[in-house]
Amino acid sequence: MVWQLFFTFLKIGFVSFGGGYAVIPMIQYEVEAHGWLDTERFQQAVAMAGMSPGPISTNTATLVGYDSAGVMGGIAATLGMVLPSLAVIVLLSALFFRFQGSKWLRSSLYGLRPIIAGMIAYAALHFGFLSGKEAFTWMTVSTLVICAGCLILLTRYKLHPVAVIAAAGVAGIVIYT
């Protein structure tokens, strides 16, 4: 299982463009295909990964690997997730600085923005509101209320994201316990 974790996250690492939240649907697909975690456990792993320092996709890989195969699974999944990004970013850095004035490069980067935004929106909807159960339950409504409150705290009151994360955690404790 350790090698399966390594090669699965190596594959994800090679195609993980757009940041951590954009990669979460790919990780979920592989986790479900291999039966490593059920949906609720995976959502808990993503939530914990999002609240931890570091990239959410790497944190999620580590948690999935650890939950599936212990410490060696966590190490294998983390290495699988990180190695492709490291290799690709070194190569792309060299190419980017060589061709940074290219109109084609700038155009292609603008072209990637919509898909990245779409993948992030998908991850937000899927993990925040659609857990495979009924679409609108009291948990969905309370999640929407917490989400709206977080948006207000971030945009209107310009609170630091860490304070908003802490406030959302407190709201979760109050509402869901």
Side-chain angles (χ1 to χ4, degrees), residues 6 9 26-27 44 70 73 84 93 106 115-116 122 125 139-140 142 148 155 164 167 175:
F6 175 77
F9 281 100
M26 285 186 265
I27 294 174
Q44 291 171 348
S93 295
R106 282 184 280 146
I115 185 62
I116 292 167
Y122 171 81
L125 288 172
M139 290 186 76
T140 304
S142 60
T155 57
V164 177
I175 293 171

Side-chain angles (χ1 to χ4, degrees), residues 16-167:
S16 60
F17 298 97
Y21 287 101
V23 177
I24 296 300
M26 285 186 265
I27 294 174
Q28 183 183 19
Y29 176 83
E30 293 294 338
V31 166
E32 289 177 355
H34 290 90
W36 290 328
L37 303 178
D38 63 27
T39 302
E40 185 175 343
R41 186 81 174 154
F42 181 72
Q43 289 177 340
Q44 291 171 348
V46 172
M48 184 178 289
M51 293 174 27
S52 303
I56 190 171
S57 58
T58 304
N59 294 345
T60 301
T62 303
L63 290 168
V64 167
Y66 181 81
D67 202 329
S68 302
V71 172
M72 291 307 295
I75 291 170
T78 303
L79 287 175
M81 192 72 188
V82 170
L83 288 177
S85 300
L86 179 64
V88 168
I89 199 67
V90 168
L91 179 65
L92 285 179
S93 295
L95 293 173
F96 180 77
F97 286 112
R98 183 178 175 135
F99 298 107
Q100 64 183 341
S102 167
K103 181 180 176 181
W104 287 43
L105 177 64
R106 282 184 280 146
S107 297
S108 67
L109 293 176
Y110 281 117
L112 290 174
R113 288 181 180 178
I115 185 62
I116 292 167
M119 292 176 79
I120 291 170
Y122 171 81
L125 288 172
H126 190 74
F127 293 106
F129 308 113
L130 305 174
S131 63
K133 301 173 186 166
E134 292 181 32
F136 286 101
T137 63
W138 73 271
M139 290 186 76
T140 304
V141 173
S142 60
T143 301
L144 286 169
V145 169
I146 293 172
C147 182
C150 290
L151 285 173
I152 291 168
L153 292 174
L154 287 169
T155 57
R156 183 174 179 150
Y157 296 105
K158 309 287 185 203
L159 287 183
H160 193 278
V162 172
V164 177
I165 290 170

